[in-house]
Every structure is written in C-alpha cells, then in structure tokens.
Amino acid sequence: MLIDGDQLIEKQLTIKTTTEVVFPDGRKTVLTPVSYTPVPDGSFLSLNGAWQVKRWPFGQSEKTLVSPELDDRRWETVEQPGKVFYADPEAHRQVIPNWNRVTQTHIPDRDGAIIRRRVYCPKEWTGKRIYLRFDAIYPAGEVYVNGEKVGGHWSGLTPVEFDVTDKVVPGTEVLIAVRLWRKHRFHKMDMVRHAVEFCGLAQPAYLFATEPVQLSGYHLASRLGENLNSGEVTGTVTVCSYAGPGQGRVELTLLDPLGKQVGKISCPFKISARTSLTLPLSLPVGKPLLWNDEQPHLYTAGLKLLVKNQPEQRFTYRTGFRRLELSPAGPRLNGHFIKFRGVNHLTYHPEGGMYTPREWLRRNLSLMKKANVNAIRTHFLGPACLAELCDELGIYLLQELPIDWGTDYIHDPEWVGPALMRIQGGILRDRHHVSVMVWSVGNENLPLNASVAEDGWNHLRIFNRFCKRLDPERPTMFPPPGPANKIKAIFEVRVGDIADTHYNFSLVKEMHRTGRIANPRSWEGDMEEVTREEALAKGWSGVWFSSEYGIFNMMPDLLNAPYLSVIDENPPDPLSGKNSLQVFIERLEREWGFMREDPTCLGGAYFPWMCSGSGRNPWGWVRWAEDADWGVMTAELLPKPYFWALRVAFSPVKFPGRVFWEKGQDFIEFPLTNHYNSYNLNQCLLRTQQSAGSRWMGISRDFRDFRIEAEPGETVTARIPLWEPAALKSLEENGVACCRCSLLDPTGFRPITADILILCREKARTVEAEMPIGPDAQM
C-alpha cells in the first residue's frame, strides 16, 4: 500500500511537536517540526570557541555530566565548531572488525561525547524570547540547557533551533551541553561515507533573542518579469505574538547595490494574544540590475517590525534578480544562453573536517572562479555561509538536500519523516539566496529490487512535491546512480524538472537519437521505457544536467598512471603508461565537450573539486574518504596540475589548436563560440601575440588587440590579421607560425591563453592535419 504523500506533507507543515504517523498497513514514520526563526540584527551571541569534552565511555551518568553543578575544568578542551572525532589515518595498520564507511558498524552504538560551554546570557534580553540554534551537529546530538534536555537533532547537515526562554535567566550564566552521537539509525542519509568519521559541531552555534511579538518567518521571492525590465519582491511574512494583543506594521525596504533606496512598502496589522498572522507583501522594482555569475549584482532587503510598546526589530538579507527558464529548446538565464561549468563541492577542511571556516571557504571559491568554474553542486548540504558567498562571488548553486544512497531504505516509510525534516530544514535556510538555482534532491537513490520499487518511486515523488510546496520558484533534479552491477546507465527523467545522469552519456545520446530510452526501476535491472513526449508530459522540462562525471584519482605524484581514470565509458589501457594528465584532458574533452555543445544541457558538475580525508600532516600519510584523492585542488588550496586542464576546458571561449593558412592571405579565421551568459565578446579584449617557428615560437613580446562581435551563445567566424611580418614570412616559406590569444573580460580577468598553431595548407596536405597535442603525441 502506497502512503498518502499529500496528507503527510500537510502534517509536516503544521505539526508543533514530534509526531508519530501510523499508516493503514501498520507501518510508521516520525515527523519532526522544523522552524527557522529570523534573527534580528544585532541580537546574536556566538557559542564558537572553547568547549569542554568528555568522551564515551563516560564512567558517570549522562545526567550528571550535563549538570551545571559538575566541575568540568579538568576535561579536555576542543574548539567548536570543529572535530571532536575524526578517522585515525593510521587505523588500517590493523584490521578493524566490522569496518564499514557507510553503515559505521565498527563504531559502538553508544559511542560519542558530551561537550559543554558556559556563556553569560545578556541582561538586556530580559522579557525577550530566547532561542538556541545549531547550524549543524554532525552526525547527531541531544541538547541540554542548564542540565535540562531541550531536544535532539538526528540530522547532521540541517539546522535546529530550540526556544529556551523558560530555561535561562538573562543576566546569569548559562550551561549549554550537547550529547554527541557518532552514529544513529538515519546517519546514512547525511553521507557519512565522505565525512571520514567526523563528529562534532560542523557549523556555528549561537543564542539569539526576539521581542515578544516577533517575525516567526518570511518567504519573499525576488522575481524578474518576462521582459527582464521589471521585478518585484513578493511573498509573505508571519508575525507571532507570545504576549497580549498588539498592533503595528511591517516595513520592507530595498536598497540597490550602491546602497540607494529603490522601494519601500508598509503593511499595518492587529494581532490577538498568543496567535500568529500571515501578511502579504509585494514591492515593485523598476529596471533592476540583474544577477549572474559574471555580474552578481546584489540588493539589500530590510524588514522592520514596529509594534506599539516594544523596541523595533530589524532583519536584513541580500537578494538579487535573475530569471532561469527551462524548455525543450534549452535553458536560458536572464534571456540569454547559459551553461553551468560546475564542480562537486564536498564540505571538508584539512584541520576543521566538516567545519569549513568562512574565510578559508572564500579563498576556495575564489580559486574556483579562477578556474572558470561558475557552478557548484554540493555533495553535502553545504554550510550556511556557502550560499552567502556564492551570492556575493557569482556562483550558481545546485544545493543537495541530504538523502544519500537510499538503496536499502528509500522504499521504507519509516525513513520518509526524516527525509521531509531534512528537505524542510535545507530549503527554509537557503531559499532566499539568489545563487541557489536548483534543489538537488538526494543522491543516487534507486530502489533495491522490483518488489519495493513502487514504494521507492512514490517516496521520491513525495519529496519532489514537498520541495515545490516550500519553494515553487526553483526547479528540482534527482541525481541517479552511475553504472554498476546490472545498470549500464540512467537518464533520470521520471522525477524532477531537470534530467540527470552520472558517469555515462549513452542514454542521453539515445534519447536525442531515437526519442526513447529504457531506465531501470530498481537495482535488479527491471526496465521501463519512456518516450521524450511522455517524459515532457509528466513534468520534465527537456533540459538535462550531469551532476557527476569525470571521476579521476588525482594523486599528483602519479605522472604515468592511466588507470587513475575510473567509471569511464572509454577506459584507457591500464598498462599503456600514458601520461595521467593527458588521459584526464582527453576524457574531459570527450565528456565536458559533449555537454558544452549540447544546447539542451544546462551543464555538469565535475566530481569533485576537493576530496575529504584525515591526516595529521597533509604532506604525510592521509586516509582518504573513498580511498582516493579525487579532487583537482589540495586541502591546503594548492592547485594540482589537473586544475589547469579544468580551467582550460571551462573557458567561456575555446580557441582551436590549429588552423590552416592559404597562400595569399594576410589573416587567419576560425569558428568561435561565446559561452558567456551576459557579455557580448566585443566587451572583452582579444590580445594577440604572433611569432614564427619553430625554435622560438613560444616566445613573443609585442601584442595587438582586437574585438570580436558575438552575442552569448552565438558562434561566429573570427578573423585575426597576421600582423607580425616574421610569422607571415614563415608561412609563405611553408613554415609554421603561432598566434597566442589571451582573452581579457570586462573586469580584466584572463580566463584563457591559447596558442593557435598556423600551418600552410599546402604543406598540411603532406602531414596529418589533426596531429595529437600533448605529452603522449607520437611525432
């Protein structure tokens, strides 16, 4: 019997306390309420810093260990957020009984720790509502305030908050304690296989306060009209009174990127005692500056809650205006061509583990931008500051909602409640961020066998509907498994707006060729056919994305190891001794090249940018999360050689390696495609340097600048004069020449420098025109 998803969604959205739901066939799930109360500006007390820790086995009762009377000064001190536990990099010197990175069966059931921190609750918070929020407790924890349990959180990646108004006294010391659990029944959902046994606060924790009449929530979408010349900030705010009746007003103000006010509205209200009230707000915006990866214009939205006889409360967030459109003709952003040149982001820091400090993360993302990366698919639900930084830097974010590897549970109703809690927590936290483009719902969730397949697919459809209830503005996608066992490939068009595929493009090509594919319903390989028209009728937009491709073990020292390329449709000969970098370049050009040229492809996310692993010295022995150092970047933010290959492949303009020159010409010409979203190529500077070959062909000093007219997505014929006399003379004598092209965008950033080798057409007839380029070339 299939569970009724619509009833379950309504209950999840309305419950106030943890609720067990029993289905007609006797199966059960537990629903957990999720709240994300807006934090008033300036009303914030950080709990980051030194915490005292006692590790299991405790030797005393847990009730004693969370008591305020206990003296913990002799306990170990740890910095939080950060790791309390992490995998021992030397552990595999001896066999670990029952070791399993996914099930964690080698960790005792009650293993964990108690961490404690004392803080002073400001006296100024007297009469206010006081909340305790943890942005992430990984993988789970139970929370105590002054010795009294206020709740637990069995999700390692989503935030949790507790109303502790009745548990603290402003003007006095408060003891915050967390009973950390290293494992729990639902930890698989949070991708523990990549967390390297991390346990601790993975993100910041803090106390904050509101007035008795508060904003308990808001959902304001920044919409851009079809004409791209008008926008609006529209939606609702919810006012809640924990006191007597009151009256007041809510104001919404919008400032442009330079701080100039562009709009303001006010909505008066009257509210009864201990009730809540939802108010509509809509603020029109004329000719807004648009947000994209090239020009990430950000506006500042300010909410003000003014209530008679209580201080005003202000709330500030950044927003932007952009319009993503998906159709069978292909994706468009702000009316223009768009291609996501993405990478997978695994939350990992060499010292903090799952905690990635904001400034370190900023440097990491800045290096992505230098590699021409303009998109991230998170492979954990990323930290809260990730979306903030993507807003600011101009990076498209495909945010994963944590339901990982559900083969043995995706069909089980018991796991539906925990999944809904994770979906709601992630979306409520991040739905106001302009950089969040897509909700990527879970990862590689295919039912185990045919007998449970229908339950599994029903649950995935429920998750999709729930995303749409929480955020109708954004599309969804459901990343499928890659090739394994009986499964050659999956092109997931059955659920979500955007189709997805991992590590194999054969079904994408078959859909293009025949308009029909067969996908497995379960790991048993029971196939079901679907036509393009059927998929479109059921909700597919006609656009696709590859959220994982190109996986490659990038140990930088291994220079001639072609076997490092794995899950490869065209695996190289492992004994060939080919140069590892060249194998990577060839695979990247094959896979990314296909996505780059397909107009219906939104793009892809290379797997991954950086790999997680534990090691006391990153230059010493490191235990990698999946036994391989997959990423193009080291944890110390040092680019590996593969970084530069990725940067070249992701350039928004690709130049040919060779062109042919005809006798009598004083120019070269070749096709050029503009893969920018908003820049016409005539806004960029094409700086050329030319030289004659061959001995000194790569050395040149003089340059000439040109501009080429090409709209975003347009392919044109570029013509470059042969202005260097020596280059032209060499060609006239049947020699070779070189034209070095450096592209400078309107900000002065150089996304690519490429050498075009120029061959005389007459001479080329005696030489293979497409000679291989790279360290494995046979000349």
Side-chain angles (χ1 to χ4, degrees):
M1 177 181 295
L2 300 181
I3 65 175
D4 188 327
D6 293 333
Q7 287 187 10
L8 207 60
I9 287 171
E10 293 302 324
K11 190 175 290 288
Q12 175 66 36
L13 291 172
T14 55
I15 58 171
K16 302 298 182 184
T17 60
T18 300
T19 302
E20 183 180 72
V21 176
V22 182
F23 300 107
D25 60 2
R27 295 182 293 178
K28 304 175 183 179
T29 195
V30 174
L31 301 181
T32 304
V34 176
S35 58
Y36 200 70
T37 305
V39 180
D41 296 350
S43 183
F44 177 95
L45 178 61
S46 172
L47 300 178
N48 295 358
W51 289 60
Q52 302 303 104
V53 58
K54 181 77 169 180
R55 301 173 191 275
W56 183 90
F58 300 126
Q60 294 175 278
S61 72
E62 294 183 17
K63 183 177 180 180
T64 299
L65 295 175
V66 300
S67 168
E69 288 75 31
L70 181 75
D71 185 351
D72 59 19
R73 285 177 294 179
R74 293 187 177 182
W75 287 15
E76 176 189 353
T77 300
V78 295
E79 288 293 313
Q80 294 288 285
K83 58 193 178 191
V84 176
F85 295 94
Y86 213 37
D88 179 359
E90 302 287 343
H92 278 256
R93 284 185 172 183
Q94 299 176 344
V95 174
I96 301 175
N98 302 314
W99 184 86
N100 188 298
R101 68 164 53 92
V102 177
T103 63
Q104 310 279 281
T105 48
H106 57 290
I107 297 175
D109 289 345
R110 297 196 61 79
D111 203 346
I114 288 175
I115 58 173
R116 299 163 42 118
R117 180 174 168 86
R118 298 178 188 270
V119 295
Y120 178 79
C121 182
K123 189 174 183 179
E124 295 77 14
W125 287 5
T126 300
K128 300 179 186 289
R129 306 299 299 182
I130 301 174
Y131 295 86
L132 171 61
R133 179 178 291 164
F134 294 86
D135 281 343
I137 307 172
Y138 197 93
E142 295 172 292
V143 179
Y144 297 80
V145 175
N146 288 332
E148 185 175 346
K149 184 176 178 179
V150 296
H153 193 48
W154 306 99
S155 167
L157 298 169
T158 57
V160 62
E161 71 179 31
F162 305 98
D163 186 335
V164 297
T165 306
D166 298 333
K167 306 293 187 297
V168 302
V169 178
T172 66
E173 188 178 70
V174 180
L175 173 69
I176 310 295
V178 181
R179 200 304 190 189
L180 296 172
W181 293 89
R182 294 188 67 190
K183 59 188 273 190
H184 61 93
R185 175 157 176 73
F186 304 108
H187 67 246
K188 284 180 60 176
M189 304 180 88
D190 297 323
M191 205 173 293
V192 291
R193 60 196 172 92
H194 278 293
V196 205
E197 298 179 19
F198 176 95
C199 180
L201 303 187
Q203 293 185 45
Y206 45 94
L207 290 161
F208 67 94
T210 75
E211 298 298 331
V213 180
Q214 61 172 221
L215 278 190
S216 60
Y218 58 85
H219 185 194
L220 298 170
S222 296
R223 294 176 178 162
L224 182 64
E226 291 184 14
N227 61 8
L228 308 180
N229 286 320
S230 62
E232 62 175 345
V233 179
T234 183
T236 61
V237 298
T238 300
V239 179
C240 182
S241 173
Y242 286 92
Q247 61 182 9
R249 69 182 188 274
V250 175
E251 292 181 356
L252 172 61
T253 304
L254 192 68
L255 307 180
D256 71 12
L258 297 178
K260 178 183 177 182
Q261 182 174 303
V262 295
K264 180 178 179 179
I265 56 169
S266 179
C267 181
F269 66 86
K270 292 182 178 180
I271 190 168
S272 302
R274 301 193 178 279
T275 60
S276 61
L277 181 67
T278 299
L279 306 172
L281 290 177
S282 186
L283 176 64
V285 182
K287 297 182 178 179
L289 296 171
L290 306 188
W291 184 95
N292 71 352
D293 68 298
E294 297 146 16
Q295 301 177 87
H297 296 299
L298 287 176
Y299 287 70
T300 301
L303 285 165
K304 187 186 295 185
L305 178 61
L306 300 145
V307 179
K308 188 176 181 180
N309 299 323
Q310 79 172 27
E312 70 176 42
Q313 299 170 82
R314 295 173 179 266
F315 309 83
T316 304
Y317 70 96
R318 296 191 298 181
T319 188
F321 295 89
R322 49 97 176 146
R323 184 182 181 88
L324 179 63
E325 297 173 287
L326 307 174
S327 77
R332 308 280 285 180
L333 179 65
N334 301 336
H336 296 301
F337 165 93
I338 184 61
K339 191 72 70 174
F340 287 0
R341 306 183 298 270
V343 292
N344 276 263
H345 176 269
L346 290 166
T347 298
Y348 167 65
H349 183 269
E351 297 175 2
M354 292 285 290
Y355 170 56
T356 52
R358 184 186 184 97
E359 287 311 308
W360 178 90
L361 186 56
R362 178 191 293 276
R363 293 197 303 273
N364 197 1
L365 300 184
S366 295
L367 284 165
M368 290 186 190
K369 293 286 286 188
K370 289 178 173 62
N372 293 318
V373 170
N374 70 358
I376 289 172
R377 179 247 184 164
T378 55
H379 208 33
F380 291 100
L381 175 71
C385 62
L386 176 65
E388 296 170 4
L389 291 170
C390 287
D391 290 346
E392 176 186 328
L393 296 174
I395 298 177
Y396 307 120
L397 190 55
L398 299 92
Q399 187 71 289
E400 181 174 282
L401 300 170
I403 310 168
D404 182 50
W405 270 17
T407 292
D408 58 358
Y409 69 76
I410 200 67
H411 62 279
D412 188 345
E414 182 186 5
W415 294 67
V416 173
L420 295 180
M421 181 253 290
R422 284 163 168 77
I423 291 170
Q424 190 172 10
I427 291 180
L428 290 186
R429 191 194 74 181
D430 282 352
R431 66 185 176 183
H432 285 94
H433 289 283
V434 64
S435 61
V436 177
M437 309 298 288
V438 178
W439 296 117
S440 179
V441 188
N443 176 66
E444 299 189 347
N445 291 306
L446 185 68
L448 181 63
N449 55 49
S451 67
V452 298
E454 191 52 45
D455 277 307
W457 287 105
N458 182 47
H459 298 164
L460 292 172
R461 290 190 291 268
I462 291 171
F463 302 157
N464 190 49
R465 295 202 299 276
F466 192 41
C467 291
K468 295 297 185 181
R469 281 292 300 273
L470 294 167
D471 187 6
E473 304 292 321
R474 288 180 174 86
T476 57
M477 70 180 190
F478 286 71
N485 303 329
K486 296 180 180 180
I487 308 303
K488 178 184 176 183
I490 299 176
F491 186 41
E492 191 49 75
V493 297
R494 293 166 290 190
V495 61
D497 303 286
I498 299 170
D500 198 354
T501 190
H502 280 189
Y503 301 114
N504 189 297
F505 301 95
S506 60
L507 289 186
V508 183
K509 295 172 182 176
E510 185 175 334
M511 178 69 88
H512 286 344
R513 187 176 62 255
T514 68
R516 178 186 300 271
I517 58 169
N519 273 319
R521 284 177 53 79
S522 78
W523 279 105
E524 287 185 338
D526 42 321
M527 309 300 285
E528 61 178 349
E529 284 198 352
V530 62
T531 66
R532 179 179 177 83
E533 290 72 22
E534 290 168 342
L536 291 170
K538 292 180 179 179
W540 178 38
S541 65
V543 170
W544 68 278
F545 185 83
S546 178
S547 59
E548 291 184 34
Y549 73 94
I551 187 168
F552 200 100
N553 188 355
M554 293 180 172
M555 291 286 188
D557 297 346
L558 304 180
L559 303 180
N560 299 97
Y563 46 83
L564 298 181
S565 182
V566 298
I567 322 181
D568 191 338
E569 283 187 75
N570 299 282
D573 178 0
L575 302 180
S576 70
K578 289 190 72 174
N579 180 278
S580 306
L581 181 58
Q582 184 65 21
V583 172
F584 173 72
I585 292 171
E586 290 171 357
R587 180 175 180 183
L588 192 61
E589 180 56 34
R590 186 174 68 246
E591 296 181 356
W592 170 246
F594 171 63
M595 290 181 272
R596 183 182 60 222
E597 301 305 322
D598 186 341
T600 67
C601 180
L602 180 60
Y606 175 81
F607 184 88
W609 174 256
M610 180 187 296
C611 194
S612 52
S614 70
R616 298 178 182 90
N617 171 12
W619 288 89
W621 178 254
V622 176
R623 177 179 169 188
W624 299 107
E626 285 197 323
D627 305 325
D629 187 6
W630 303 120
V632 301
M633 179 69 62
T634 73
E636 309 96 304
L637 304 185
L638 297 175
K640 300 177 187 177
Y642 306 93
F643 168 96
W644 303 99
L646 192 78
R647 169 181 153 86
V648 170
F650 280 3
S651 169
V653 175
K654 181 177 175 60
F655 293 92
R658 286 178 169 82
V659 298
F660 298 111
W661 172 82
E662 301 284 355
K663 290 283 189 182
Q665 290 182 342
D666 59 357
F667 60 86
I668 56 171
E669 58 182 12
F670 48 87
L672 203 63
T673 301
N674 178 6
H675 278 181
Y676 282 112
N677 171 245
S678 59
Y679 293 151
N680 187 309
L681 279 189
N682 66 14
Q683 297 174 259
C684 302
L685 196 65
L686 178 58
R687 178 155 292 173
T688 65
Q689 297 169 282
Q690 296 178 0
S691 58
S694 58
R695 186 174 182 183
W696 305 105
M697 190 163 60
I699 298 175
S700 55
R701 179 181 180 184
D702 294 339
F703 61 86
R704 299 287 187 275
D705 293 337
F706 300 95
R707 295 188 186 270
I708 296 173
E709 176 79 25
E711 294 287 346
E714 184 181 9
T715 299
V716 299
T717 298
R719 176 176 287 192
I720 299 177
L722 291 171
W723 51 265
E724 170 57 53
L728 188 57
K729 180 180 179 183
S730 176
L731 292 170
E732 289 172 343
E733 295 174 352
N734 288 335
V736 294
C738 176
C739 180
R740 178 164 295 166
C741 297
S742 295
L743 191 70
L744 298 170
D745 75 12
T747 71
F749 174 68
R750 176 176 52 85
I752 188 68
T753 290
D755 277 356
I756 303 175
L757 302 186
I758 310 168
L759 285 74
C760 175
R761 174 73 71 179
E762 184 173 319
K763 181 179 179 181
R765 293 192 181 99
T766 65
V767 181
E768 185 179 351
E770 296 299 326
M771 292 184 295
I773 302 173
D776 297 313
Q778 300 295 317
M779 301 300 290

